[in-house]
Amino acid sequence: SYHVKYAPPKSMKLGPDGKPIPATMKDDVSGAALFQRPDDTAEALTKRLDGYRSQTVPILDHYAPHGIVKRIDGGAQIDKVWAEVKAKLCTGN
């Protein structure tokens, strides 16, 4: 997985505007052309977060007082996340 700022492909070159030149975006191993998904942009992220705030948060706020909403730290190691998911599904805590 590549990221133009944090994990760029070795082939990446920047244009005068400081943005990657698409033709230079190649996979380090296969040399295949890389592309950015249309939903992987700052604008798309802003839209998804707005939707979360306007559509999901009100539902969580409604059901949380009834003990239905369970919170899990999704930023932990995957084995810990999965253990917490299983525990909360089994015990309801």
Side-chain angles (χ1 to χ4, degrees):
S1 178
Y2 298 102
H3 186 279
V4 296
K5 184 174 180 181
Y6 301 109
K10 294 174 185 171
S11 62
M12 184 181 85
K13 303 284 185 256
L14 299 177
D17 60 358
K19 295 182 180 180
I21 300 170
T24 68
M25 300 294 287
K26 307 281 183 185
D27 180 74
D28 291 343
V29 177
S30 70
L34 300 174
F35 64 92
Q36 183 177 22
R37 294 181 353 214
D39 65 339
D40 189 20
T41 64
E43 295 81 17
L45 175 59
T46 299
K47 184 176 180 181
R48 286 195 303 273
L49 288 174
D50 288 345
Y52 175 79
R53 290 182 192 110
S54 68
Q55 298 172 3
T56 304
V57 170
I59 294 169
L60 295 174
D61 290 344
H62 174 80
Y63 286 106
H66 303 286
I68 297 171
V69 176
K70 308 298 178 202
R71 299 205 178 266
I72 296 172
D73 178 7
Q77 293 293 321
I78 188 64
D79 56 331
K80 292 182 180 184
V81 171
W82 183 236
E84 193 174 350
V85 167
K86 289 192 293 187
K88 290 192 177 187
L89 286 174
C90 292
T91 65
N93 292 328

